[in-house]
Amino acid sequence: MHYDPDIFLRDYWQKKPLLIRNPWDAWRNPLDPDELAGLACEEGVESRLIVREEEGWTLAHGPFAADRFSRLGAQPWTLLVQAVDHHVPDVAALIDPFRFVPNWRIDDVMVSYASDGGGVGPHFDQYDVFLLQGLGKRRWRVGPLCDGSSELLPHDDLRLLARFEATEEWVLEPGDILYVPPGFAHDGVAVGDDCMTYSIGFRAPSRSELIEGWCDHLVDEMQEDDRYSDPDLRVQGNPGEISEAALTRLHAMVTGKLLDRDAFACWFGEYNSAPKYPETDWRPEEPIGRAELADCLEQGMALARNPASRLSFIRRADGLLLFADGRSFACSGETVALAEAICAQAQVRLDPTAGRSPETLDLLAALIDQGSLAFDQED
């Protein structure tokens, strides 16, 4: 894939849209439309069907019956399936060229299939997205920045803009990419049938989500007997006054916990790495034994990362803290390089002697048992 991530981040990331004409050496659509339809029929896969009718837009949620798509009429329609990268390795590989954005910011790959004229209507998102054209053609129009005050059409489920005026317009063909920053209005309409688009989306936690999650965590960790105390209390001139000393002590009780940066870092890593779709379960039926694990490593078997797993780390003075699927693991010594490799690569092949390290075996066993890693059976 040919374009400069440094220039992109400097000039476009969260600043303005960018059209990137087919930057791939040889583009190949990684998913057949029938496979996408099959995923939309499965339990545990989030999918939506949007149909544009004369009276407006209708939305239905999956899973869908196998004959649902053959019964659609002539009206333009769009099928959207979330987190397809969790189920199809070739779709998961589409994220790799965009990993100049940190792992913790990556969400998933949504795939859409649209009939001629199909789309989801003019809207804006609260996150960055790369819109990669996989099959067929789609006309994208991009408009100005929007916010919470932008007028929306009345609809229970779809947040569509009541007024949309395009400032730029392009027709994307297979392999083309359109980057849209948060807040920019955009509207994509299929030009002809068999239109497939891969949306590589990114996470952007809101301030309210962070505050709520962090405070809920702190409250859950607190003891009932952690209460206000004032052993130096003195008689006041007026019993109705809340004194400056009392306010200072009360304020410190709250801010002392809220401002604990190390505790926040650990909480955020676990919170951010929690699985979005825990149904994609790689946990083995039985915990892996240390002898079996060491034997697999000695044979040179590769470890594959569960595409539904979220892995990241925070560096510390004594090593790093690895986060995997809502859990944290303190790493030091040789496990530091192992944790870094697991976060950076979809597949890791260790030195056959790695099984001689108890620390390496403990970390790998924990990650395998919780379904974050598995030995690649096709290796």
Side-chain angles (χ1 to χ4, degrees), residues 80-331:
L80 304 112
V81 183
Q82 292 289 153
V84 177
D85 53 304
H86 295 184
H87 307 280
V88 182
D90 285 347
V91 173
L94 293 178
I95 300 175
D96 292 342
F98 304 99
R99 289 196 185 274
F100 54 84
V101 180
N103 284 355
W104 74 269
R105 290 281 266 116
I106 295 172
D107 193 359
D108 63 10
V109 181
M110 181 185 74
V111 184
S112 67
Y113 176 91
S115 66
D116 187 24
V120 301
H123 64 286
F124 69 97
D125 299 311
Q126 301 285 4
Y127 51 83
D128 305 85
V129 63
F130 289 95
L131 300 162
L132 168 57
Q133 191 64 23
L135 191 67
K137 298 180 181 181
R138 187 183 292 272
R139 174 175 289 105
W140 283 104
R141 296 185 299 152
V142 176
L145 276 169
C146 302
D147 56 29
S149 64
S150 299
E151 185 181 356
L152 303 178
L153 292 174
H155 198 288
D156 292 338
D157 300 297
L158 297 173
R159 294 177 52 81
L160 302 180
L161 291 165
R163 285 184 288 273
F164 173 70
E165 293 184 8
T167 56
E168 296 182 277
E169 179 177 324
W170 306 276
V171 173
L172 269 66
E173 300 190 10
D176 292 342
I177 303 169
L178 176 63
Y179 164 71
V180 182
F184 277 85
H186 54 287
D187 181 29
V189 177
V191 180
D193 290 322
D194 288 338
C195 172
M196 289 184 71
T197 302
Y198 298 82
S199 301
I200 296 116
F202 294 81
R203 311 173 73 191
S206 69
R207 192 189 304 267
S208 62
E209 289 171 344
L210 290 175
I211 292 174
E212 180 182 18
W214 176 222
C215 289
D216 286 348
H217 170 76
L218 289 177
V219 170
D220 289 343
E221 295 289 306
M222 289 177 188
Q223 302 297 317
E224 182 64 23
D225 58 0
D226 183 9
R227 292 177 175 270
Y228 176 83
S229 64
D230 48 5
D232 56 349
L233 184 64
R234 298 290 184 268
V235 176
Q236 297 182 177
N238 188 322
E241 180 185 4
I242 302 174
S243 70
E244 186 67 25
L247 282 173
T248 298
R249 183 173 280 143
L250 288 163
H251 188 249
M253 287 181 68
V254 175
T255 57
K257 290 290 187 180
L258 289 175
L259 298 180
D260 186 336
R261 192 177 186 281
D262 290 340
F264 175 82
C266 184
W267 165 79
F268 178 74
E270 294 179 352
Y271 166 83
N272 185 75
S273 68
K276 183 178 181 181
Y277 298 100
E279 297 85 0
T280 309
D281 191 352
W282 278 24
R283 287 178 297 177
E285 294 183 4
E286 298 289 338
I288 190 167
R290 298 301 189 274
E292 178 189 357
L293 176 52
D295 183 58
C296 291
L297 293 174
E298 189 173 349
Q299 293 179 43
M301 293 181 64
L303 282 158
R305 187 174 63 204
N306 183 343
S309 292
R310 289 173 164 166
L311 293 98
S312 55
F313 65 85
I314 292 174
R315 295 196 188 280
R316 304 195 302 185
D318 58 348
L320 58 79
L321 201 56
L322 171 68
F323 303 103
D325 295 327
R327 292 183 62 194
S328 58
F329 303 88
C331 299

